[in-house]
Amino acid sequence: MKLIKENQKWKIYQTDEFKICYRHKDSISGDNEINPKETIHFISGSAEITLKKKTRIIKSPETIEFPEKTYHKIKAITDISFILIEE
């Protein structure tokens, strides 16, 4: 497993098959429609998820799928961790 990105709000590790992501409270990821098909398995914490024009709160453990080229945003309500699989 290799650390590929890090800043004060998050860390991303890459494995051969998926990414492991850690986000601190109030951090935002996505917020765009430039993405491959993504499956996210939330391991810990809670987040506000926006997909297209719908927003909802999720609590781990939960799995979310984002279709390719679809507006999406993840806002961490608490510190969160998740597995990201890109297709």
Side-chain angles (χ1 to χ4, degrees):
M1 186 165 55
K2 179 181 176 184
L3 178 65
I4 58 170
K5 292 183 182 179
E6 177 180 24
N7 69 22
Q8 293 177 335
K9 291 283 187 176
W10 45 267
K11 288 183 183 181
I12 301 174
Y13 294 89
Q14 180 71 57
T15 71
D16 291 339
E17 298 176 14
F18 56 85
K19 294 177 182 173
I20 300 173
C21 305
Y22 299 93
R23 306 266 191 234
H24 293 292
K25 179 181 177 181
D26 296 324
S27 65
I28 294 174
S29 58
D31 203 13
N32 63 55
E33 55 189 41
I34 304 167
N35 63 295
K37 180 180 177 188
E38 298 173 330
T39 301
I40 298 177
H41 302 283
F42 283 88
I43 299 167
S44 66
S46 60
E48 180 183 273
I49 304 295
T50 302
L51 179 58
K52 297 182 182 179
K53 294 182 180 183
K54 287 188 173 184
T55 300
R56 67 185 181 111
I57 304 296
I58 63 102
K59 293 181 182 179
S60 62
E62 189 162 344
T63 297
I64 303 289
E65 291 189 0
F66 295 126
E68 179 181 19
K69 298 178 183 174
T70 303
Y71 178 79
H72 66 290
K73 179 170 88 171
I74 301 171
K75 180 180 180 185
I77 295 171
T78 65
D79 289 353
I80 59 174
S81 60
F82 55 90
I83 294 170
L84 170 63
I85 302 169
E86 297 174 319
E87 297 179 35

